[in-house]
Amino acid sequence: MIESPEQAINVWDFERVAHANNLPEHWAYIHMGVDDFETRKANREGFQRLMLRPRRLGQDATKLDTSVELFGRKWDTPLFLCPVAALEAYHTEGESGAARAARARKILQIQSNSSSQSYEAIAEARGEPHWFQIYTVPDWSMNKKLIDHVAAAGCPALVWTIDLLGGSNRELSRRSLGSQEYDRPLCQNCHNHKPGYQRPMRRGLDGPPGPRPPYTWDYVKRIKDATSMKLLLKGIVTREEAELAVEHGVDGVFVSNHGGRAENSLRSTIESLPEVVAGVRGRVPVLIDSGVRRGADIFKALALGADAVGIGRPYVWGLGAFGQQGVDKVIELILAEFRMTMRQTRTTAIDQIVPSFVIEGRTPIMMRDNRLGFGL
Ligand SMILES: Cc1cc2nc3c(=O)[nH]c(=O)nc-3n(C[C@H](O)[C@H](O)[C@H](O)COP(=O)(O)O)c2cc1C
């Protein structure tokens, strides 16, 4: 087990430390996938099935330009931090710790609707406004209030997560929470069980329980018309819906299966990516996440048409292990691997990373240390 971030060789080195540092209930929450975790595993296998076709000679690849542009804003790299709920559960620094690391590494960060800290606190740690992810509730006026809140705070882009609208079967989480005594003072500091407690972005905004709206494409228009922020849909995995999203004025399509925490489709996001890219036809940016653990995974996703690539669990392992310094090292390691893959393929800029650099291969060679449940 590593004792400091500097000792880490790859992102999984942080997983064991975060596991040791964290409450079992919190660990169950971050670790689990739905049903028997097959979709979570499929996300890794999808990347492992794709082989690289490097070029050995060619242009000088000592100087690399890894920058990408999203909605007119230039980023140093295509890597970004995904929205993950309640980061104070893993380290007292929470979202601000991740924000300081993202700021230092100049990468995009998306705040979860269910964050432990407020938009304003995170933006202050970042030194600028960041993107915000929303889960809608039945009462539209509550959604509108939240949208207006983050827009007024300077948020440039809103990400509506649509892959949990039908619910999700999270057995490990239910089992571990079932055994938890919520009246422990430690739990009451954060959980909704404490009278009057709500996560900062949801304070006063959950509204009365009511029937869910039908969630048709009209709802996309409703959100779009309610704000001038860019609107992205998180959870698109088919060509048909990618086409519909663009037709309905969506500004960006985010390929995700919530890290294997939504439906148990058994299909990895990297396998869904080509059809989504075909549906989008270059009209809006395509983002992807789920199962990204290596720099080569970023390369493969870009080769298949993604514009930006997100990590969820890996940076939370970094945070849970060592706070901001852990997140920083996770970002550093993945980007170092990515740059090496660029040099190995003689690509010097992102637009040179094209489909001919990858080819579909055989079934995955190995799963890392799978017996213990680590290494996914
Ligand atoms: C513990 C945990 C909490 C998450 N919370 C949210 C959330 O609040 N909103 C959201 O859109 N996605 C959430 N996600 C999904 C992530 O944004 C992302 O899609 C996923 O983690 C990517 O897969 P990876 O963990 O394999 O990198 C969460 C994921 C995890 C592991």
Side-chain angles (χ1 to χ4, degrees):
M1 197 122 75
I2 58 170
E3 284 162 10
S4 71
E6 295 72 44
Q7 293 173 340
I9 306 286
N10 63 40
V11 300
W12 289 284
D13 288 333
F14 294 96
E15 187 186 18
R16 285 171 188 278
V17 183
H19 174 244
N21 284 358
N22 278 268
L23 288 173
E25 296 85 352
H26 291 177
W27 184 256
Y29 182 66
I30 186 175
H31 184 69
M32 57 99 198
V34 287
D35 290 7
D36 301 305
F37 298 15
E38 295 102 329
T39 307
R40 190 184 162 182
K41 288 177 196 156
N43 283 331
R44 286 300 303 138
E45 288 170 358
F47 283 109
Q48 291 175 333
R49 233 189 312 272
L50 274 183
M51 305 191 292
L52 292 177
R53 297 180 66 246
R55 312 274 162 82
R56 306 296 185 199
L57 300 172
Q59 60 183 336
D60 177 10
T62 42
K63 281 211 184 83
L64 307 178
D65 177 0
T66 60
S67 65
V68 295
E69 207 178 288
L70 293 171
F71 308 130
R73 161 86 195 260
K74 199 172 165 186
W75 297 95
D76 279 11
T77 81
L79 181 69
F80 66 92
L81 302 187
C82 294
V84 172
L87 292 185
E88 282 185 3
Y90 307 100
H91 195 281
T92 49
E93 290 178 20
E95 288 80 4
S96 295
R100 282 190 293 273
R103 174 189 196 168
R105 296 274 162 198
K106 299 198 181 89
I107 72 168
L108 169 67
Q109 175 184 15
I110 307 174
Q111 176 187 349
S112 162
N113 173 105
S114 313
S115 54
S116 310
Q117 296 170 1
S118 69
Y119 187 92
E120 290 75 6
I122 301 166
E124 197 183 325
R126 260 193 85 78
E128 65 172 344
H130 49 278
W131 295 15
F132 183 76
Q133 172 263 324
I134 187 168
Y135 288 127
T136 48
V137 292
D139 183 341
W140 168 253
S141 70
M142 301 291 164
N143 299 326
K144 180 73 169 69
K145 271 192 193 160
L146 183 54
I147 292 168
D148 289 347
H149 170 170
V150 294
C155 175
L158 185 71
V159 177
W160 182 29
T161 297
I162 55 172
D163 54 17
L164 296 184
L165 296 177
S168 62
N169 184 33
R170 301 175 168 194
E171 293 179 5
L172 179 61
S173 213
R174 267 160 49 211
R175 235 178 255 293
S176 63
L177 289 176
S179 68
Q180 173 161 305
E181 299 158 42
Y182 268 121
D183 55 357
R184 282 192 298 196
L186 184 65
C187 302
Q188 287 196 4
N189 284 338
C190 306
H191 282 273
N192 295 355
H193 292 239
K194 187 173 174 180
Y197 180 87
Q198 273 170 318
R199 299 241 170 89
M201 300 310 291
R202 301 237 50 98
R203 268 175 209 154
L205 289 186
D206 280 339
R212 281 171 179 244
Y215 288 129
T216 61
W217 286 94
D218 289 345
Y219 210 85
V220 172
K221 189 169 176 328
R222 195 169 193 183
I223 300 181
K224 186 79 191 128
D225 290 346
T227 178
S228 56
M229 288 182 284
K230 299 291 180 194
L231 176 64
L232 296 93
L233 294 187
K234 180 170 182 273
I236 298 281
V237 288
T238 63
R239 177 182 182 140
E240 299 89 310
E241 286 212 305
E243 274 171 2
L244 282 166
V246 179
E247 277 164 27
H248 284 82
V250 161
D251 301 290
V253 171
F254 192 153
V255 181
S256 177
N257 59 26
H258 222 103
R261 299 159 74 85
E263 70 290 320
N264 199 24
S265 65
L266 307 181
R267 191 177 187 219
S268 69
T269 52
I270 194 71
E271 284 164 301
S272 308
L273 178 66
E275 66 169 274
V276 172
V277 168
V280 167
R281 296 200 306 279
R283 290 171 289 175
V284 299
V286 176
L287 284 66
I288 185 173
D289 71 14
S290 299
V292 175
R293 303 288 181 268
R294 290 284 191 188
D297 302 337
I298 300 177
F299 184 92
K300 290 171 186 176
L302 296 175
L304 294 181
D307 296 285
V309 183
I311 47 171
R313 292 184 188 87
Y315 85 86
V316 187
W317 298 335
L319 185 75
F322 302 107
Q324 174 190 345
Q325 306 308 325
V327 182
D328 186 76
K329 188 69 184 178
V330 163
I331 298 169
E332 182 194 310
L333 285 169
I334 294 191
L335 287 178
E337 292 171 2
F338 173 58
R339 290 196 186 93
M340 185 183 286
T341 314
M342 285 184 74
R343 285 194 296 274
Q344 289 165 339
T345 50
R346 299 269 141 196
T347 49
T348 58
I350 299 297
D351 62 2
Q352 296 167 14
I353 305 175
V354 291
S356 61
F357 282 108
V358 295
I359 186 167
E360 216 171 293
R362 52 187 170 269
T363 47
I365 301 161
M366 58 154 197
M367 296 298 296
R368 299 171 54 92
D369 218 354
N370 206 10
R371 280 163 306 141
L372 296 172
F374 287 105
L376 290 177

